[in-house]
Amino acid sequence: MRIQMLVYSVGLGACFLGASAARCADGWAAAIPPPSTDTISAAKLAQVKPGTSTKAQVQSLLGAPWRILQFNDCGMSMPGQADETWDYRGRNAGGTYRVHIEFDDSDVARLVAKIPDHVAGTKGTRAKTAPPDMKVAMKM
Amino acid sequence: MSHINVPRLAKRFGFSVLLALGIASQAPAQGPAAAYPPYGSAIPVITNTEHRSGAVGEDTQKMPPPNGPNEESIWNMKVEGFNDNQARPIYQPLIVNQNGREIMYNGNLAGTATNALTGVSESNGTSIIDVTNVKRPKFLFHIPGPDPINGSFAAAGAQMVRVCPGSTMPNAAANGIAGKFFLLRAFGNAGANESHQIWDVTEPSAPKFLTTILSGLSNTHKSWWECDTGIAYLVAGAVSDGWQQSGSKQHVYIYDLSNPAKPAFIRQFGLPGQQPTASVATQQPCLNAPSDTCFEGTTNPPGGVHGPISMGTVVNRVYMPYGVGASGVIQIDDRMKLVNGCKSSGPGANPNASANCQNSPTQADLLWPQVSWVTMNPENGGHSSMPVFNVPIPEEQSNFVDGTPQSKSLLFVSSEGTANNCFGQAPHDTWILDIANEQTPWPMATLNVPQFPGNFCGKGARFGAHAVTEQIYPPYYGKIISVSWFNAGVRVWDIRDPKNPKPIAYFIQAPTSNTAASCSTINGVTNCFNATMNDYVEYDDRGFIYAVDRAGTGVTILSLTGEARKAILPQSDQ
């Protein structure tokens, strides 16, 4: 427990140094003590299949999402941004993460990714996609 | 010569004393910005505070490179406060002085999140935040957006907000609206039954639905509401209205909302070539084949309007950007002729208006208010077109022309970058057009953010221009301009020498656990990135700057420091 609190304190301090104090209250994974087990079962997540899993099936497996996003703008579908996204929040020994699932117009999962909160940069996090994704990209 | 001489026009309309006093003293309860559009029709006077050689040759502070993508990056700005907006992605913010309280209204993109005030998951709509104390913004209320249709949020969201005080409206007392405040918002985004609504937000923590102005719409977007006349320029389309556009299918519905409970329809309007009777199959470009059946711009039919900006009754101009992110057209309209052009008599009326002018105008009906139009290159569209009038040109304070100080009226035009990771698109920038002669707008300078340093095309999400600040805060007016640049954050330029605009400040929000990932597929490989996207940047009437995040990271409240602060001070204080 002491070690966890130390990690928490160091993380919170780093947060305040690296970003604005005002935002840290909401912010980074460093401020949240990680659990020893994964809060979103890897086995269940593995059952979410891009190209086949429906919204209903995903909800049955993972429950209601923490947040839904839909970036349609001007009534236009922006390439790669038109899908409804379901976000789940999870935690494991590596810290906090989000499970990010994008659904196509037919309510079928098109993209699934498990994205660590504390990773930003040019590498990104590899996502699993349904085969039609490549066709969408070619149209951009 | 049609130089927009605001002081001369103001004098004609009896506002010269108002202008000389700097207008603030005339402001009613909602604060010192009340005299300027959209609240009033006066325009701040800009004094020259630049050296006579302008920005060229000055000691220019070098723009520092941003920090790593995990970190906040800030230059000549200071973070004053933050609110997470309940992790909802924000499209458009507006900050209104309501009897001394500073209230922020956020139009949110579609989706759902938990309302922390109630514990209930609500469809994203309008967030209302008290930002009077910028150090401790208080989330007051969330007005839900449309419910999902058949389980899909594709048509939901409530992206746009405008707020007017009833006190500034004509006949306020007779209509019983003095002392009240009203929210105009879009309801829906891409469905077949969207609408524009009005809410009574006099008590912002307990808004009351008032009325639906217009329903059955398909593409609501960014409206404008003149608070001193009540005239509103609502952006929308409807499946059944017959209007024709490429891309975003929306045009303008003009209403008189001076009595918000009783909206009065005036007319529909768009670009020649978009009207219901246009022969899209045969019409030719007006550029090289002008006729009474041609289309303006480079695409047939022309792209939809994004968001009109009216400069009110004194300047008498409305600026309309079409196309959003591609094949743009910028149109300058005579406001009086636009509002009254379907009438046969009275100011601005068109004696030759067609019988169906209000809903299905002819090309001649559409041309009646048009002062001029500019065709953009096909790879850029009209997203914002914000004028700034009579900006002194530092090098022309003597010697040139007749030796008297010269100024130029400018139009800031932005195109919207819409692709993640820059993939598949040319850069989207912001441009300064010289509109001193309105018939011949002419490019003066480009506002650009380079992708390096910062590797903005590689860090994920969108990179490119989006929107130009629209609120008029006099100390900033004609001195600085702020543009939202998605993953490159808020970008501020010193425009006191508009031929040589200087980057002078920026703020890039760090991603948090609320930041929605942006995923893109390039060469068959899909990756997701944590990156913020500054969607809009806006000012309040105290000079605080609000950066809102499209990726759900919230609102950051900023102030200017260092060289950016100096740029807005009188020359003697710099």
Side-chain angles (χ1 to χ4, degrees):
Chain A
M1 186 63 184
R2 277 187 179 177
I3 292 171
Q4 267 197 345
M5 287 309 294
L6 181 63
V7 169
Y8 175 83
S9 302
V10 169
L12 198 61
C15 175
F16 275 85
L17 286 173
S20 69
R23 229 198 25 253
C24 277
D26 177 66
W28 268 116
I32 303 169
S36 54
T37 56
D38 208 330
T39 56
I40 296 178
S41 155
K44 284 185 177 178
L45 186 56
Q47 293 178 56
V48 180
K49 304 282 189 190
T52 58
S53 297
T54 64
K55 282 182 180 175
Q57 289 168 332
V58 170
Q59 178 141 358
S60 175
L61 277 167
L62 303 179
W66 159 63
R67 174 176 70 178
I68 296 174
L69 300 159
Q70 219 293 344
F71 287 108
N72 271 353
D73 182 13
C74 272
M76 292 191 296
S77 296
M78 308 292 182
Q81 301 159 64
D83 296 334
E84 184 170 305
T85 300
W86 288 16
D87 273 348
Y88 293 85
R89 274 179 154 161
R91 279 185 290 159
N92 59 19
T96 58
Y97 62 85
R98 275 157 295 133
V99 168
H100 174 108
I101 303 172
E102 296 186 9
F103 294 92
D104 64 19
D105 291 344
S106 306
D107 291 347
V108 174
R110 189 187 67 81
L111 181 155
V112 179
K114 185 176 179 179
I115 305 165
D117 282 344
H118 61 282
V119 174
T122 56
K123 193 176 176 185
T125 302
R126 188 73 178 266
K128 295 178 184 173
T129 58
D133 190 46
M134 291 174 67
K135 293 175 186 171
V136 172
M138 293 300 286
K139 289 178 186 172
M140 289 174 70
Chain B
M1 180 72 175
S2 60
H3 182 78
I4 300 173
N5 189 328
V6 173
R8 178 166 55 80
L9 281 167
K11 191 174 180 181
R12 186 189 304 166
F13 284 81
F15 286 118
S16 56
V17 174
L18 212 62
L19 286 169
L21 290 174
I23 289 132
S25 62
Q26 298 294 313
Q30 78 270 25
Y36 313 112
Y39 304 107
S41 291
I43 302 295
V45 174
I46 306 168
T47 55
N48 178 49
T49 58
E50 265 282 25
H51 187 269
R52 64 184 179 183
S53 61
V56 175
E58 272 189 11
D59 288 336
T60 302
Q61 191 184 7
K62 191 177 179 186
M63 182 168 64
N67 296 323
N70 265 347
E71 299 173 68
E72 173 182 293
S73 299
I74 192 163
W75 175 46
N76 285 334
M77 302 184 97
K78 178 188 172 192
V79 174
E80 300 283 357
F82 174 79
N83 185 276
D84 72 357
N85 195 49
Q86 301 183 336
R88 302 180 200 272
I90 306 170
Y91 188 88
Q92 186 210 349
L94 185 70
I95 305 91
V96 183
N97 186 326
Q98 293 189 206
N99 299 321
R101 294 174 74 187
E102 299 282 346
I103 306 298
M104 181 178 203
Y105 296 86
N106 290 327
N108 296 317
L109 288 144
T112 184
T114 300
N115 183 344
L117 298 173
T118 62
V120 176
S121 180
E122 293 174 346
S123 176
N124 292 346
T126 310
S127 301
I128 305 178
I129 304 172
D130 188 331
V131 291
T132 309
N133 179 352
V134 294
K135 306 288 185 194
R136 291 179 175 273
K138 185 180 179 187
F139 199 102
L140 297 177
F141 201 87
H142 175 252
I143 309 174
D147 290 329
I149 299 171
N150 297 326
S152 169
F153 283 87
Q159 292 172 243
M160 307 303 167
V161 286
R162 296 289 179 196
V163 172
C164 279
S167 302
T168 59
M169 295 287 185
N171 306 314
N175 290 329
I177 58 172
K180 294 187 174 181
F181 286 82
F182 298 95
L183 164 70
L184 164 66
R185 72 166 190 164
F187 188 73
N189 171 64
N193 193 23
E194 303 169 54
S195 60
H196 284 287
Q197 300 178 332
I198 296 185
W199 289 68
D200 182 337
V201 290
T202 308
E203 176 42 65
S205 59
K208 298 170 188 165
F209 175 75
L210 193 62
T211 193
T212 293
I213 303 164
L214 186 61
S215 58
L217 303 173
S218 59
N219 275 62
T220 59
H221 218 64
K222 192 145 174 269
S223 303
W224 185 269
W225 192 7
E226 297 173 359
C227 298
D228 55 339
T229 68
I231 300 297
Y233 307 84
L234 308 178
V235 174
V239 173
S240 58
D241 65 12
W243 285 73
Q244 307 169 92
Q245 296 94 6
S246 299
S248 49
K249 300 186 183 309
Q250 56 219 25
H251 61 285
V252 179
Y253 290 77
I254 303 178
Y255 271 77
D256 179 352
L257 302 181
S258 59
N259 184 351
K262 295 180 179 176
F265 172 69
I266 294 175
R267 71 176 298 184
Q268 299 184 54
F269 186 77
L271 210 57
Q274 295 180 334
Q275 68 272 26
T277 55
S279 302
V280 170
T282 57
Q283 64 185 1
Q284 297 296 308
C286 302
L287 270 175
N288 50 17
S291 72
D292 57 3
T293 57
C294 61
F295 66 91
E296 293 181 346
T298 56
T299 190
N300 180 21
V305 67
H306 185 271
I309 292 180
S310 168
M311 282 291 109
T313 55
V314 175
V315 173
N316 192 35
R317 291 290 180 271
V318 179
Y319 300 85
M320 302 225 199
Y322 295 83
V324 187
S327 304
V329 174
I330 304 299
Q331 185 186 44
I332 303 177
D333 291 295
D334 180 307
R335 179 195 170 280
M336 188 74 84
K337 290 183 175 178
L338 176 63
V339 174
N340 295 328
C342 290
K343 297 177 181 172
S344 56
S345 63
N350 178 6
N352 300 314
S354 72
N356 297 320
C357 176
Q358 287 179 287
N359 288 304
S360 183
T362 63
Q363 180 173 296
D365 294 331
L366 297 179
L367 289 174
W368 175 249
Q370 180 173 283
V371 174
S372 64
W373 53 288
V374 179
T375 299
M376 301 172 71
N377 63 22
E379 64 194 28
N380 286 285
H383 180 280
S384 296
S385 53
M386 174 66 185
V388 180
F389 300 113
N390 296 330
V391 179
I393 304 298
E395 65 166 332
E396 297 181 46
Q397 297 305 293
S398 62
N399 299 94
F400 288 94
V401 193
D402 58 4
T404 61
Q406 300 293 301
S407 62
K408 292 276 192 182
S409 290
L410 310 173
L411 190 64
F412 289 80
V413 173
S414 68
S415 175
E416 178 181 354
T418 58
N420 284 343
N421 292 75
C422 310
F423 194 71
Q425 287 189 348
H428 292 262
D429 291 322
T430 298
W431 300 271
I432 303 177
L433 302 186
D434 172 357
I435 55 167
N437 186 318
E438 294 177 285
Q439 277 73 39
T440 58
W442 190 249
M444 179 178 278
T446 299
L447 307 181
N448 168 256
V449 177
Q451 72 154 310
F452 297 106
N455 197 1
F456 293 115
C457 287
K459 68 180 273 194
R462 297 188 192 184
F463 168 62
H466 188 214
V468 179
T469 312
E470 296 172 0
Q471 294 298 299
I472 294 177
Y473 174 60
Y476 296 173
Y477 190 73
K479 309 293 188 197
I480 61 167
I481 199 88
S482 303
V483 184
S484 50
W485 219 274
F486 290 127
N487 70 6
V490 170
R491 294 282 161 164
V492 185
W493 279 266
D494 178 345
I495 56 164
R496 291 174 297 162
D497 178 4
K499 293 181 183 176
N500 300 285
K502 288 189 306 184
I504 200 163
Y506 68 69
F507 169 73
I508 306 171
Q509 189 177 11
T512 73
S513 53
N514 283 352
T515 306
S518 297
C519 304
S520 53
T521 303
I522 299 173
N523 298 326
V525 177
T526 301
N527 280 294
C528 299
F529 302 84
N530 289 326
T532 58
M533 285 191 279
N534 176 227
D535 202 72
Y536 263 79
V537 52
E538 203 48 271
Y539 309 141
D540 71 15
D541 64 356
R542 302 170 296 180
F544 288 112
I545 299 169
Y546 296 74
V548 302
D549 188 47
R550 188 186 189 92
T553 322
V555 179
T556 308
I557 308 174
L558 302 153
S559 60
L560 297 176
T561 62
E563 292 298 311
R565 184 80 188 161
K566 286 182 185 173
I568 64 165
L569 297 175
Q571 202 162 29
S572 57
D573 296 339
Q574 290 176 26

